[in-house]
Amino acid sequence: MPAMLVGDHVMVALDDLAGLFQLNVREDVLAGGVTVGYKGKTVILTPGQALASAAGRLISLPAPPSRDGRRWLVPVEFISRALAVVYDSKLDVRKNARMVLVGDIRVPQITVRQEVLGPQTRVTFAVSPRTPYTLSQEPTCILVRFDADALDVTLPTFAPEGLLQSIRLSDPNSTISIDLGPRFGSFRALFVPQEDGGGQLLVDLMSGPAEQAPPPTPRGDVPQLPVPPAPETVPPMIQPAAGGLRTVVIDPGHGGEETGTKGAAGAQEKEITLAVARRLKASLESRLGVRVLLTRDGDQAMALDERAALANNNKADLFISLHANASIRKEVSGAQIYYLAADQAGEEARKATSSRQTLPTVGGGSREIEMILWEMAQLRYLSQSASLAGAFEEQFRGRVRLNPRPVQQAPLRVLAGANMPAVLVEMGFLTNPDEEPQLVSNAYQNTIAQALLDGILRYRDLADRPKMTPSQEPSPTPSPDTARRRQ
Ligand SMILES: [Zn+2]
């Protein structure tokens, strides 16, 4: 459809729309308006006014209709805002992609970003709505192919660097190509579902082969410096030991004098968190054979920093903090899973984290090392933590009542220092009269522990595989509970 600019506005001719959409356009000279008819319904436009009346509803437009010789021009938004009201199929204008979508066709909006995070480069695809995709690695590029009729894509502009040369559409209807630089060695991909029905696909590009053993990772209670194997070699990204899940730390919230939240009937958060932690520990040990540590196994107080420190000192692969929630409104309900929000302070720390420093080496010369600030250890694991949160949400669904906003980010101190994927689970609201008796019941505590176990399995399976199609991923091995539900 021909379009033209009038001022800043993209305009289309009503005559062209009339041909495409079977509209009946009439100018009412006396009334000074233009009437657009479609199957007995009308849209009325008034020259000089950035408004339309569509089937009696007043609609705002970004610009008034304007005359071009004998034709009337309307802003392209007229289609999605006004015509869509009277039309009998779905109409959607994608200005960026210069498309008008008629009917139910799949054209996901994809915004691609690129950022250098220390030694790795991250390419983020914000996809809305969630769309199945496949990743494939070619000799010079990674292809991301979406299952769609067309793509509405916004691509970043940036200078080529060692890991990443360019990002471009290789097939406008389905495929985006990540063109790799000479330093590229391997990649990891994670899909993070978002609450709005969309999601983010994170593709991390790293130097060095995928098989390479992870470097000595900086864990412990003092900042440590990973030593690169040779000068000019950038240390690979710290990999979570996902497949080799060895140690899980479970953190029962509160303890001792610090009781946490209390329910109206007297239930105490610190007791619920410990009870669920013990159940989860038992099932993780027996089902997965992993080492499970509790930050406390009794009724004692413990500082937030000590909890993450215990996980770091034991080289835990996952950190899961358990809590029960409270609200001033009794009706608020449902479990929520939190992972760390990198707020502004976090962003600055991340920049500092990825800053290179040059240290003299034994035998002369210097080498670049990467500083990792202890307090911000978690920033390197945000995408894995988001993925773990997503896995828990998925496994809770249908078994544990979820809050309308099930996955959230917050600047939680207990997570910030954890040097591994880490989430905090609010298992329900003790202030909700239905949920208080549930939270103390054996049945509910077992269900939550089972859902957490299945979420950990799911996360492990997801993190293991670089190729994935969200709609085609196999479910984790059905647990006795889920198997029974399916029957
Ligand atoms: Zn709490």
Side-chain angles (χ1 to χ4, degrees):
M1 186 192 322
M4 59 218 81
L5 273 179
V6 176
D8 291 339
H9 299 286
V10 179
M11 310 286 276
V12 291
L14 273 182
D15 287 350
D16 291 333
L17 293 183
L20 284 166
F21 295 98
Q22 280 85 53
L23 310 177
N24 177 11
V25 178
R26 255 182 328 107
E27 188 171 350
D28 186 338
V29 185
L30 276 181
V34 181
T35 305
V36 179
Y38 177 75
K39 293 190 180 171
K41 294 181 202 155
T42 51
V43 180
I44 300 164
L45 289 158
T46 311
Q49 287 191 17
L51 292 170
S53 164
R57 265 175 60 192
L58 204 58
I59 311 278
S60 83
L61 296 172
S66 64
R67 205 186 256 287
D68 175 38
R70 292 188 54 203
R71 307 189 308 165
W72 281 101
L73 304 178
V74 289
V76 70
E77 289 84 354
F78 170 82
I79 300 169
S80 53
R81 295 190 193 171
L83 188 55
V85 173
V86 298
Y87 206 68
D88 55 10
S89 347
K90 214 164 114 185
L91 296 178
D92 193 7
V93 172
R94 299 291 180 82
K95 269 173 98 168
N96 171 54
R98 305 185 66 80
M99 285 190 290
V100 177
L101 311 183
V102 183
D104 268 316
I105 62 170
R106 288 160 308 162
V107 183
Q109 270 175 316
I110 301 171
T111 303
V112 189
R113 288 196 317 274
Q114 156 276 354
E115 54 186 332
V116 176
L117 297 174
Q120 57 168 330
T121 295
R122 170 165 295 173
V123 182
T124 303
F125 297 79
V127 185
S128 178
R130 215 171 290 178
T131 306
Y133 64 89
T134 49
L135 284 176
S136 57
Q137 187 175 347
E138 307 290 323
T140 59
C141 63
I142 294 168
L143 296 177
V144 188
R145 187 185 310 275
F146 290 90
D147 183 10
D149 296 306
L151 302 180
D152 178 356
V153 180
T154 307
L155 293 172
T157 52
F158 56 91
E161 38 98 359
L163 291 170
L164 177 62
Q165 293 293 110
S166 61
I167 302 172
R168 63 189 167 82
L169 269 178
S170 74
D171 173 348
N173 293 330
S174 65
T175 310
I176 297 170
S177 175
I178 301 171
D179 297 329
L180 303 166
R183 227 159 42 70
F184 171 80
S186 62
F187 76 99
R188 291 179 58 85
L190 282 168
F191 186 79
V192 184
Q194 278 351 98
E195 291 164 27
D196 59 6
Q200 290 199 330
L201 168 64
L202 310 176
V203 180
D204 286 346
L205 310 178
M206 292 161 277
S207 58
E211 301 75 38
Q212 192 175 329
T217 54
R219 289 175 170 172
D221 52 3
V222 290
Q224 294 179 17
L225 311 171
V227 180
E232 294 171 42
T233 307
V234 181
M237 173 198 178
I238 299 168
Q239 308 261 349
L245 204 60
R246 289 178 300 266
T247 305
V248 176
V249 167
I250 305 165
D251 172 44
H254 312 279
E257 294 195 342
E258 204 219 319
T259 57
T261 293
K262 277 188 194 165
Q268 294 196 14
E269 181 182 359
K270 66 172 185 178
E271 289 169 1
I272 295 164
T273 59
L274 183 57
V276 175
R278 285 176 175 155
R279 286 173 205 265
L280 178 58
K281 174 181 160 76
S283 60
L284 274 169
E285 284 172 341
S286 63
R287 293 275 308 280
L288 295 186
V290 296
R291 182 166 75 126
V292 182
L293 300 168
L294 303 186
T295 53
R296 66 176 178 95
D297 196 9
D299 183 21
Q300 73 262 27
M302 196 170 183
L304 293 178
D305 293 346
E306 283 178 69
R307 296 171 190 256
L310 183 132
N312 294 342
N313 293 338
N314 285 284
K315 300 189 177 2
D317 302 305
L318 293 179
F319 179 81
I320 298 158
S321 187
L322 299 178
H323 287 259
N325 220 334
S327 168
I328 45 166
R329 284 164 47 220
K330 280 186 185 156
E331 65 273 19
V332 177
S333 70
Q336 290 178 303
I337 305 121
Y338 285 86
Y339 64 100
L340 188 72
D343 54 9
Q344 192 143 23
E347 280 299 313
E348 277 158 27
R350 179 157 73 173
K351 281 183 195 134
T353 300
S354 51
S355 72
R356 300 277 164 64
Q357 298 202 353
T358 305
L359 285 193
T361 59
V362 181
S366 63
R367 58 173 48 159
E368 271 194 343
I369 52 91
E370 205 195 352
M371 294 282 293
I372 293 174
L373 302 178
W374 166 251
E375 305 81 58
M376 284 302 158
Q378 179 59 204
L379 292 178
R380 306 203 107 196
Y381 295 95
L382 283 187
S383 64
Q384 287 92 337
S385 299
S387 173
L388 179 60
F392 282 149
E393 179 201 351
E394 184 190 282
Q395 295 302 319
F396 278 22
R397 217 163 266 290
R399 302 154 84 174
V400 172
R401 186 177 351 173
L402 280 169
N403 186 270
R405 299 181 62 198
V407 174
Q408 299 222 40
Q409 282 185 274
L412 297 167
R413 172 115 194 207
V414 71
L415 302 179
N419 201 17
M420 72 278 313
V423 300
L424 184 148
V425 180
E426 294 279 6
M427 300 181 286
F429 280 81
L430 269 178
T431 43
N432 181 296
D434 297 333
E435 294 194 352
E436 181 183 4
Q438 270 198 330
L439 281 162
V440 297
S441 72
N442 284 329
Y444 190 76
Q445 290 184 358
N446 280 335
T447 302
I448 288 230
Q450 183 68 52
L452 289 168
L453 172 73
D454 291 340
I456 291 168
L457 282 167
R458 176 78 169 139
Y459 167 79
R460 187 190 64 176
D461 293 348
L462 273 177
D464 264 358
R465 285 172 305 133
K467 286 188 183 189
M468 54 184 184
T469 308
S471 63
Q472 290 162 12
E473 282 160 8
S475 310
T477 321
S479 61
D481 276 347
T482 54
R484 224 176 293 129
R485 265 208 340 274
R486 282 180 192 139
Q487 284 161 8

